[in-house]
Amino acid sequence: MTDSYDYDLFVIGAGSGGTRASRVAAAYGAKVAVAEEYRVGGTCVIRGCVPKKLLVYGAHFAEDLADARRFGWNVPDCDFDWKVLTANVFEEVDRINQAYTSTLTNNKVEIINDRAIITGPHGIKLGDGRELTARRILVATGATPSVPACPGHELGITSNEAFHLDAVPKRMVIAGAGYIANEFAGVFHQFGAHVTLINRTDVILRGYDEQIRDRLLQISMMKGIDFRFHADFRGIEKQADGSLLVSMTGHDPIETDCVMFATGRDPNTKGLGLETAGIEVDAKGAIPVNDASQTSCDNIYAIGDVTNRVQLTPVAIREGQAFADTVYGGTPRTVDYDNIPSAVFSHPPIASVGLTEGQAKNKFGSVKVYTSDFRPMKNVLAGRNERALYKMVCDSTTDRILGIHMIGPDAPEILQAAAVAVKAGLTKRAFDDTIALHPTMAEELVLLR
Ligand code: NDP
């Protein structure tokens, strides 16, 4: 299939999307190479979803150990060893990295451990100077933490470095109030750090349902996480004793031991040579693509975070699969971006699918909203005053479910199944007709009023 090119397909970036596209294209018979400048697996496996979720599991033990006493266990005072947890997490990351690598090599994908840049519609140049050609190029380079250009920003870290801290800082300031800020605030708080989130507005987790966000804010504050709202991050100064002084608008400066920026992620397009193929990036540096993930250069495609459509791993994987099926498998597919479930692994976690109440009102006028605001049974016995909130937003004329939003223990585990119902266009009636599975938290979904 190679014509006069070195490869049928050259993929830049072996993250979740790039790996899926490479493997599937190769399985269809294409000669494929994938260039990865760091480690196979990309953000999700190496420094994102996977190690983060393992830290979240680790963090949960803080409350579980405390609650265990109410369930009759004589738990002695326990120490937490950050080094033990992170060493085990890195071991698991290595294992998945190896599994991804084997998947590629078993499917005859050539892995090139080097940076690759585009030199023209069919041209690639590697970091070692080698020049290669490919009939098609797929850009799957992901995104990178965006750090504001304020004085002293180099004294801060991002989620990339958070896993590699020598110890849990005593005090931590996190800039931003989105996914990463709330997830890491929960984790480091449970490990004993005093955490303060600094946000330019008073909206946390923009895009999530307002009542759910408010509940997280209330529980986070109750747990002892501090917030500074309407605070524009101004800069970081190192003090004589080694601590950091963070300044912001509207509030007094804060002394801390660690500053983490969680202020969004920028598509990785800098220095990629896109202009040599006539591809222009948008204002955010993302690559514009059509429904088939095709750029303005016919034979160059882009998937995943670098396109800034929906920055979620499973979406990048779907885009990679759709690309390979369409171009190499003779089965044209596009990705359906409606009703994508998502979760925030905060303490407690949030999970959501479909329209929020606000979005649904804007789109449909009047909507019906059903809620259950309850204290999970385990929290009651544990003496933990944390209430869960489940919410269903329905079309008031057809009763069709437009969105489900949840905060509470295991909300993401529960929502995945409920998302199938939303995607299938089911109505509230279908939930009402289903007998509750008692006693669970999930039963609240069929008992919503
Ligand atoms: P988010 O977009 O979730 O949040 C960014 C936060 O930073 C917001 O509070 C935003 O405020 C604020 N912000 C943005 N720019 C600035 C600025 N210049 N100055 C001050 N504040 C700023 O990004 P994250 O970095 O948390 O995560 C990046 C992406 O990674 C997410 O969008 C998500 O797609 C993905 N992700 C998904 C996870 C999951 O699925 N569980 C977990 C982690 C990441 P404002 O709201 O005002 O814009």
Side-chain angles (χ1 to χ4, degrees), residues 343-423:
V344 185
F345 295 95
S346 42
H347 284 74
I350 287 176
S352 167
V353 64
L355 301 180
T356 64
E357 184 179 344
Q359 290 165 343
K361 276 184 181 153
N362 286 345
K363 195 164 175 190
F364 293 93
S366 89
V367 291
K368 281 194 196 152
V369 178
Y370 305 90
T371 56
S372 176
D373 188 337
F374 64 101
R375 202 168 158 209
M377 195 189 243
K378 185 163 171 255
N379 284 357
V380 177
L381 196 76
R384 186 169 289 287
N385 190 22
E386 273 179 48
R387 297 183 71 80
L389 177 63
Y390 293 2
K391 195 168 165 180
M392 185 183 276
V393 183
C394 297
D395 185 317
S396 53
T397 45
T398 63
D399 209 24
R400 190 169 64 90
I401 305 166
L402 303 172
I404 297 181
H405 311 281
M406 305 166 63
I407 178 168
D410 295 330
E413 303 291 345
I414 299 167
L415 183 98
Q416 177 70 81
V420 176
V422 179
K423 188 78 188 164

Side-chain angles (χ1 to χ4, degrees), residues 52 176-180 183 199-200 206 262-265 311-312 343:
K52 179 277 309 287
Y179 282 85
I180 296 178
E183 290 181 344
N199 193 30
R200 60 182 174 185
R206 192 182 296 282
T263 43
R265 295 174 60 84
Q311 286 190 340
L312 294 175

Side-chain angles (χ1 to χ4, degrees), residues 30-275:
K31 184 179 180 196
V32 182
V34 58
E36 172 55 56
E37 64 179 335
Y38 186 50
R39 294 182 71 190
V40 170
T43 298
C44 177
V45 171
I46 308 296
R47 48 183 129 60
C49 329
V50 170
K52 179 277 309 287
K53 184 74 187 277
L54 293 170
L55 291 192
V56 169
Y57 278 129
H60 260 294
F61 282 94
E63 291 183 347
D64 291 345
L65 285 166
D67 293 350
R69 297 185 173 105
R70 290 279 306 163
F71 287 85
W73 292 90
N74 286 319
V75 183
D77 282 343
C78 295
D79 293 338
F80 168 67
D81 192 330
W82 166 255
K83 283 285 183 193
V84 170
L85 174 60
T86 48
N88 291 338
V89 168
F90 295 144
E91 215 174 278
E92 176 58 7
V93 166
D94 290 347
R95 189 189 66 77
I96 304 177
N97 160 253
Q98 200 45 55
Y100 267 55
T101 305
S102 306
T103 300
L104 289 171
T105 47
N106 291 345
N107 281 280
K108 301 193 170 55
V109 175
E110 182 185 345
I111 301 173
I112 299 173
N113 295 113
D114 203 347
R115 181 172 168 77
I117 60 164
I118 293 169
T119 54
H122 297 280
I124 297 116
K125 188 173 181 184
L126 300 180
D128 67 9
R130 259 194 303 159
E131 307 251 6
L132 301 167
T133 58
R135 183 176 167 80
R136 292 190 184 87
I137 296 171
L138 176 69
V139 183
T141 48
T144 201
S146 154
V147 174
C150 60
H153 65 83
E154 67 288 349
L155 297 168
I157 63 164
T158 68
S159 54
N160 289 350
E161 293 78 37
F163 302 102
H164 300 276
L165 289 170
D166 286 335
V168 174
K170 279 206 170 66
R171 300 164 298 181
M172 187 166 197
V173 162
I174 302 181
Y179 282 85
I180 296 178
N182 281 285
E183 290 181 344
F184 279 86
V187 163
F188 282 106
H189 169 75
Q190 300 292 337
F191 291 149
H194 180 266
V195 179
T196 308
L197 256 73
I198 298 182
N199 193 30
R200 60 182 174 185
T201 64
D202 60 0
V203 176
I204 70 165
L205 290 167
R206 192 182 296 282
Y208 278 88
D209 190 88
E210 195 175 337
Q211 260 180 298
I212 302 286
R213 293 193 258 125
D214 282 352
R215 179 62 54 91
L216 178 65
L217 180 59
Q218 178 206 332
I219 296 176
S220 299
M221 288 166 79
M222 204 169 69
K223 285 183 193 289
I225 296 171
D226 279 339
F227 290 81
R228 297 287 186 276
F229 288 132
H230 299 295
D232 277 332
F233 201 94
R234 277 293 142 91
I236 315 172
E237 241 176 88
K238 191 155 198 154
Q239 305 196 103
D241 64 358
S243 65
L244 304 172
L245 193 69
V246 176
S247 50
M248 71 208 88
T249 57
H251 300 267
D252 287 344
I254 297 177
E255 200 181 83
T256 190
D257 305 302
C258 178
V259 178
M260 179 170 138
F261 292 104
T263 43
R265 295 174 60 84
D266 296 330
N268 274 328
T269 49
K270 278 197 194 112
L272 203 55
L274 291 164
E275 64 290 348

Side-chain angles (χ1 to χ4, degrees), residues 329-348:
T331 317
R333 278 189 214 288
T334 53
V335 176
D336 177 0
Y337 293 91
D338 277 345
N339 293 320
I340 296 172
S342 66
V344 185
F345 295 95
S346 42
H347 284 74

